[in-house]
Amino acid sequence: MYTQALDVPDSTPAAPQAVPWVAGPAEAALQERFDLKIDADQKIEPQDWMPQAYRRTLVRQISQHAHSEIIGMQPEGNWISRAPSLKRKAILLAKVQDEGGHGLYLYSAAETLGTSRDQLLDGLHTGKAKYSSIFNYPTLTWADVGVIGWLVDGAAIMNQVPICRCSYGPYARAMIRICKEESFHQRQGFESLMTMMKGTEGQRAMVQEAVNRWWWPVLAMFGPPDADSPNSAQGMRWGIKRISNDALRQKFVDATVPQAAIMGVTLPDSELRWNEERQQHDYGAIDWDEFWATVNGNGPCNKERLATRVKAHTDGQWVRDAALTYAAKQKARALKEAA
Ligand code: FAQ
């Protein structure tokens, strides 16, 4: 369904170009070395000099991505105790655990840029940092779990495979493993929905109803249209972002239409049709007011998601305290033995 060849260059319109910048002679030399690396498509590593704006952009994007992974555990986690069979429960448990793991790799990648885990989590818990709009929608039926795998993970892979070639080494390397796991997630979602589609009339209706609710929020998940995307131009010049929001959205629509036909569901868009001239699908208008309301804290489940996350963090304080006390005791013992 999606390529496993995660690190293959695609037809990105323009190669990343360094951003011109003027400063004192010492910084100008460092900037020049950084620019040359970006132009040569080499990786920037944590110990390398980098412009502050590049560092800030990476901390913003990687931490938002990490927050999305851990908040993203909630909608599906709601169904672990209600999965319809032991097999589906085991699969779902493993998937939700994978998402937690992705959060951990990403927080670690962000920490290499000099921001502590506590600072990153503080941004999330105080509502200052964003996480993906898509996780503010509810999971009302079991079919929603399959649709998250098929469409949400499908969209996530489409967006994240190009990040495997991001110019910042730790982020790019984390993404390789994440994409491999997301690819499994997408397939299990498709397989779960296919099973339901081969079942009863009621099951087929449940799948269709879930697809109807998720389709538009999933398209919005790729971010605002290119013309309204303030971070895109800079992100692309730095080789952080490789393909634009609109181009990825289009690739996703084109990949998903044939999958929906195989599954036997209708995508809820009367304007969706193949455009022979463009060799791509045309699709209807996305409700950007709904997207921005959700991003700005007023989606269907924003308050619930954040409250659940803050409670989990507060309830886990004793575990962190115990781990730190244990580590301090181990260190003291090692010092005593060495003395
Ligand atoms: N939700 O200028 P742009 C997953 C914000 S992981 C909320 O276009 P940029 C795995 C954006 O931050 C899903 N906010 O920004 C999983 C910016 O605000 P800021 C997450 C959004 O950075 C599956 C403003 O709008 N994936 O699904 C959204 O160039 C299943 C202007 O936007 C990633 O994070 C949105 N959808 O492009 C887990 C991938 N879109 O920060 C569990 C990495 C935009 O200036 C179950 N991130 N905004 O205040 C990216 O690729 C990029 O950051 C974009 C946004 C494409 C998300």
Side-chain angles (χ1 to χ4, degrees):
M1 263 171 212
Y2 287 102
T3 177
Q4 290 286 335
L6 297 171
D7 210 14
V8 180
D10 44 49
S11 53
T12 310
Q17 293 296 308
V19 181
W21 190 71
V22 187
E27 282 215 315
L30 292 166
Q31 176 79 39
E32 195 183 342
R33 199 176 317 151
F34 173 85
D35 292 346
L36 285 171
K37 274 196 168 177
I38 295 284
D39 288 345
D41 218 358
Q42 287 174 0
K43 294 280 177 263
I44 306 296
E45 297 297 340
Q47 68 277 13
D48 293 339
W49 183 91
M50 61 188 85
Q52 278 309 321
Y54 177 82
R55 188 183 298 276
R56 266 199 310 275
T57 297
L58 283 167
V59 171
R60 176 186 66 81
Q61 179 168 326
I62 303 173
S63 65
Q64 286 178 5
H65 193 166
H67 302 331
S68 304
E69 298 281 359
I70 63 165
I71 295 280
M73 296 167 77
Q74 292 184 34
E76 289 175 289
N78 278 343
W79 279 91
I80 291 173
S81 61
R82 294 177 286 166
S85 68
L86 186 57
K87 175 182 149 184
R88 295 291 172 196
K89 189 194 284 270
I91 293 171
L92 185 56
L93 266 173
K95 180 183 189 297
V96 172
Q97 190 174 328
D98 281 354
E99 309 298 1
H102 298 171
L104 296 185
Y105 315 151
L106 289 165
Y107 283 124
S108 300
E111 282 179 297
T112 65
L113 291 154
T115 308
S116 73
R117 180 87 54 106
D118 283 345
Q119 284 172 291
L120 299 170
L121 285 175
D122 201 48
L124 173 64
H125 297 158
T126 55
K128 288 188 203 123
K130 293 187 169 71
Y131 60 86
S132 182
S133 49
I134 196 70
F135 301 117
N136 293 305
Y137 290 85
T139 37
L140 303 180
T141 70
W142 171 250
D144 289 32
V145 173
V147 171
I148 290 183
W150 177 41
L151 295 180
V152 176
D153 282 281
I157 304 165
M158 198 55 93
N159 163 271
Q160 291 172 21
V161 166
I163 306 176
C164 298
R165 293 186 293 107
C166 164
S167 60
Y168 187 58
Y171 191 23
R173 290 188 288 274
M175 289 317 302
I176 291 172
R177 176 159 172 187
I178 291 176
C179 285
K180 287 187 177 165
E181 292 178 353
E182 299 289 26
S183 183
F184 266 106
H185 297 171
Q186 194 262 356
R187 284 157 203 236
Q188 69 79 34
F190 187 85
E191 190 271 338
S192 173
L193 295 177
M194 269 308 253
T195 304
M196 292 179 78
M197 291 302 286
K198 287 180 193 148
T200 65
E201 202 49 55
Q203 285 174 307
R204 279 190 285 279
M206 194 190 279
V207 174
Q208 182 63 60
E209 190 270 334
V211 169
N212 292 349
R213 276 184 289 110
W214 286 91
W215 176 248
W216 291 105
V218 166
L219 289 194
M221 192 184 155
F222 289 92
D226 293 350
D228 304 324
S229 164
N231 301 303
S232 275
Q234 186 75 85
M236 290 185 80
R237 277 201 250 113
W238 276 329
I240 295 172
K241 205 164 174 170
R242 298 285 181 162
I243 305 181
S244 80
N245 298 356
D246 284 331
L248 286 170
R249 195 171 3 252
Q250 182 70 58
K251 274 161 82 92
F252 175 76
V253 171
D254 292 336
T256 308
V257 168
Q259 293 171 18
I262 291 168
M263 197 183 283
V265 294
T266 307
L267 297 172
D269 178 357
S270 58
E271 292 171 50
L272 185 65
R273 60 183 60 88
W274 179 249
N275 182 322
E276 193 57 42
E277 202 179 315
R278 292 199 305 121
Q279 290 289 300
Q280 287 172 329
H281 290 87
D282 292 336
Y283 56 91
I286 295 169
D287 183 345
W288 292 112
D289 290 341
E290 177 182 324
F291 170 77
W292 287 116
T294 306
V295 170
N296 292 324
N298 298 313
C301 301
N302 293 59
K303 290 177 185 63
E304 181 188 328
R305 297 286 183 250
L306 205 54
T308 303
R309 171 65 213 152
V310 171
K311 181 176 184 313
H313 188 73
T314 310
D315 290 351
Q317 185 61 48
W318 69 271
V319 179
R320 293 189 296 280
D321 290 345
L324 286 173
T325 307
Y326 179 73
K329 277 189 184 165
Q330 291 288 97
K331 195 174 166 192
R333 186 178 299 162
L335 282 173
K336 203 172 159 193
E337 281 168 10

